[in-house]
Amino acid sequence: MPADSRNPEISVSDLLLYINCPRRVYFVSRGFELFPEINASRIERMLLKELSLTFPEIVRECSLNADNLCKELETAFLHACEDLPLMFPAEFACIEKEVVEEGKARARAKIPEIAANLFRGLEEYGKDPMLAALTPVKTEPFLSSEKLNLKGVPSKLVCFEGRNVPSIMKPGNCPVQGVWASDRMHAASLALLLEAEAGGEVPFAFVEYVSFGLLRKVTIRSSDRREVLKICRRVEKIKAGFMPEKKEEKFCSECTFSEHCVSNSSLMSKFF
């Protein structure tokens, strides 16, 4: 799928928007804001991501004891609360204190479960494999492929079983087993990008559910690669101007684009 001047550049985030709802690709590509404001839920996700970045250091230095893990996570969480406004000053400049405090409380409540799951993982897999899967070789590296006409940024690259593989951090809910279908596509798209940049097959990736302290290994299947390539072509078409059909989903009423998402004929009159 070679890129040329007729194909708009696409990113992995576009693919994830498509999986959520194809019309979101259309709106975001035309300048609509996906997240118009920061709420408590977003503060919670931001804090849990920052906390997860400390997991390798905590696991490396902490004795294998659930209570010790919990204490170390509490300390790291306090540092994350201090650091986050310094890292995102523009975002925090207009947030009400009550919203921030609610986000902190929601994130802090997850610490005991995170500690318990990390401890369980250490017991099941061993300290060295867990460290290898958690420790970044690179953090948020930019990956791109002209052939795929695709770019993306994994949360980190880790060296596991002698090879660099992508790892993505997800702050949302976690399935009982495996990973969500959208997370599988996310992992597969980054594996394709890493293969294009570094050469050689990337047979697996990791998904880290940071709200739970759970790490899941994902085998990249040929069917996953096929689906990613198919979505890439559809996203290119949408970004070039094609409007997907409107579908009624259970989350439509909560969508930030709901007031603009009307029938195709009505929407065209808004833009042209």
Side-chain angles (χ1 to χ4, degrees), residues 135-146:
T135 305
V137 175
K138 292 182 180 179
T139 301
E140 297 185 346
F142 177 78
L143 303 176
S144 65
S145 168
E146 185 176 342

Side-chain angles (χ1 to χ4, degrees), residues 45 47 76 90 145 184 251:
R45 294 194 300 269
L47 283 169
S145 168
R184 174 174 287 280
F251 298 116

Side-chain angles (χ1 to χ4, degrees), residues 4-29:
D4 58 43
S5 59
R6 295 170 295 174
N7 291 334
E9 187 178 43
I10 62 176
S11 68
V12 171
S13 61
D14 293 323
L15 308 189
L16 301 180
L17 284 175
Y18 179 93
I19 293 168
N20 182 269
C21 173
R23 281 200 164 195
R24 284 193 161 199
V25 178
Y26 188 93
F27 288 117
V28 171
S29 68

Side-chain angles (χ1 to χ4, degrees), residues 23 26-27 243-248 252 257-271:
R23 281 200 164 195
Y26 188 93
F27 288 117
M243 166 55 69
E245 288 296 324
K246 177 178 172 61
K247 296 181 180 180
E248 291 296 336
C252 282
F257 307 132
S258 58
E259 64 179 289
H260 307 288
C261 192
V262 294
S263 67
N264 283 18
S265 57
S266 299
L267 186 64
M268 290 305 99
S269 66
K270 285 177 176 286
F271 287 106

